[in-house]
Amino acid sequence: MASSSSYTNPPCAACKFLRRKCLPGCIFAPYFPPEEPQKFANVHKIFGASNVSKLLNEIQPHQREDAVNSLAYEAEARMKDPVYGCVGAISVLQRQVIRLQKELDATNADLMRYASNQQSNNNFNYGTSHDDHHQTNYGFSPNTTWNNNPEADDDIQ
Amino acid sequence: MASSSSYTNPPCAACKFLRRKCLPGCIFAPYFPPEEPQKFANVHKIFGASNVSKLLNEIQPHQREDAVNSLAYEAEARMKDPVYGCVGAISVLQRQVIRLQKELDATNADLMRYASNQQSNNNFNYGTSHDDHHQTNYGFSPNTTWNNNPEADDDIQ
């Protein structure tokens, strides 16, 4: 029967998958806990353990968690869609941005027509019956809705 | 001096990189032409030639060009941004979709206020001075601009 002094932590998911001893300082251990075996299996299948290890060693320790999570996201997407991977999600999002931008342009154009027509009506009414109720402010604030140029905000390469 | 009969095609970028003979039927040759050496170098560095070869063999021949191009896109993105790769572009696009959706919602709300106020004005004027010019149609077509629920269109996982 093993004594408590011979107890060692279970190997990380990467070392268990690769059937090697998980030594202190293992580059994978902090990001591939034993309870998430699939995360490493996916990353290994798509990128290869050696490439992932190299990549993690080339970046700062504080960046490694984000890097592993983005690799795991890409790997899972590639497992689900071997042809397009997460580039499929990029295409969907790009189409969505284009569609929303068109809708926003069309809605802004409608709003412009309403606003200019209301102005004409106000002028007409002031010239004839001076109906003060046309001066109500409806909360329309062009500065918050007119900046609809996607290129002016986020630059996607 | 070599005779014309001994001429062979130059090896594809993958076989040249891997320093092996490019045999007829090479899985890489159609997608990694010799004039684009960086494309294979990137894909090899990020995914590994063996993983790419396996992936190409697991999909239909007509899907391979798209698969290689999406892998090359992902690899280039990971070379430029080792921490986030193309997942960074997904985050930027997701934020852009959220921003555009909010702008569209706000603009639609403004338009609703204009429309309902104009309706009130029409009713008021009909009750008092019967100004027929308020009935002008400004080209506002709610059905084309009101469907602004992103979840109803593209389902991004």
Side-chain angles (χ1 to χ4, degrees):
Chain A
M1 186 176 169
S3 70
S4 62
S5 64
S6 70
Y7 173 81
T8 54
N9 285 329
C12 74
C15 290
K16 191 172 182 190
F17 186 97
L18 300 170
R19 297 183 184 191
R20 66 182 197 180
K21 197 170 180 188
C22 193
L23 299 170
C26 167
I27 187 83
F28 296 122
Y31 319 109
F32 295 103
E35 62 271 21
E36 292 182 68
Q38 198 57 45
K39 185 179 179 186
F40 183 79
N42 290 350
V43 163
H44 175 64
K45 180 173 164 64
I46 301 301
F47 296 100
S50 169
N51 285 340
V52 174
S53 168
K54 273 186 215 158
L55 188 142
L56 292 179
N57 278 307
E58 285 168 4
I59 60 178
Q60 297 295 313
H62 73 273
Q63 299 176 307
R64 288 176 188 159
E65 188 170 358
D66 282 350
V68 166
N69 288 338
S70 70
L71 288 169
Y73 179 90
E74 276 187 63
E76 194 179 346
R78 183 65 62 178
M79 301 281 279
K80 286 182 183 165
D81 180 352
V83 180
Y84 295 101
C86 72
V87 180
I90 291 177
S91 300
V92 168
L93 282 163
Q94 283 175 332
R95 286 198 300 274
Q96 208 172 356
V97 164
I98 290 167
R99 181 181 60 77
L100 282 167
Q101 189 61 57
K102 278 185 186 168
E103 278 191 37
L104 185 59
D105 289 346
T107 310
N108 275 329
D110 288 336
L111 197 52
M112 286 285 273
R113 278 192 289 273
Y114 263 79
S116 65
N117 182 268
Q118 180 148 320
Q119 188 61 43
S120 309
N121 289 347
N122 285 351
N123 293 343
F124 178 83
N125 287 321
Y126 283 124
T128 54
S129 59
H130 299 274
D131 289 336
D132 284 348
H133 67 276
H134 280 283
Q135 285 191 292
T136 311
N137 181 343
Y138 309 113
F140 165 48
S141 49
N143 289 337
T144 61
T145 56
W146 236 251
N147 177 21
N148 54 11
N149 176 7
E151 293 175 8
D153 189 1
D154 301 308
D155 185 17
I156 300 158
Q157 299 295 332
Chain B
M1 187 177 167
S3 71
S4 62
S5 64
S6 69
Y7 174 81
T8 54
N9 284 331
C12 75
C15 290
K16 192 172 181 186
F17 187 97
L18 299 169
R19 297 183 185 190
R20 67 183 197 182
K21 198 170 178 187
C22 193
L23 297 170
C26 167
I27 187 82
F28 297 123
Y31 319 108
F32 294 103
E35 61 272 20
E36 292 183 68
Q38 198 57 45
K39 186 179 178 184
F40 183 79
N42 291 350
V43 163
H44 175 64
K45 180 174 164 62
I46 301 301
F47 297 99
S50 170
N51 285 340
V52 174
S53 167
K54 273 186 217 156
L55 188 141
L56 293 180
N57 277 308
E58 285 168 5
I59 59 178
Q60 297 295 312
H62 72 274
Q63 300 176 306
R64 288 176 187 160
E65 189 169 358
D66 282 350
V68 165
N69 289 337
S70 70
L71 289 168
Y73 179 90
E74 276 187 63
E76 194 178 346
R78 183 65 62 177
M79 301 280 281
K80 287 181 182 166
D81 181 353
V83 179
Y84 295 101
C86 73
V87 181
I90 290 177
S91 300
V92 168
L93 282 163
Q94 283 175 332
R95 286 199 300 274
Q96 207 173 358
V97 164
I98 290 167
R99 181 181 60 76
L100 282 167
Q101 190 61 57
K102 278 186 186 167
E103 279 191 37
L104 186 59
D105 289 346
T107 310
N108 275 327
D110 289 336
L111 198 52
M112 286 286 273
R113 279 192 288 273
Y114 262 80
S116 65
N117 181 268
Q118 181 147 320
Q119 188 60 44
S120 309
N121 288 347
N122 285 351
N123 293 343
F124 178 83
N125 287 321
Y126 282 126
T128 53
S129 60
H130 298 274
D131 289 337
D132 284 349
H133 66 277
H134 280 282
Q135 285 191 291
T136 310
N137 180 343
Y138 308 112
F140 165 49
S141 48
N143 288 337
T144 61
T145 56
W146 236 251
N147 177 23
N148 53 13
N149 176 7
E151 294 175 7
D153 189 359
D154 300 309
D155 186 19
I156 299 156
Q157 300 296 329

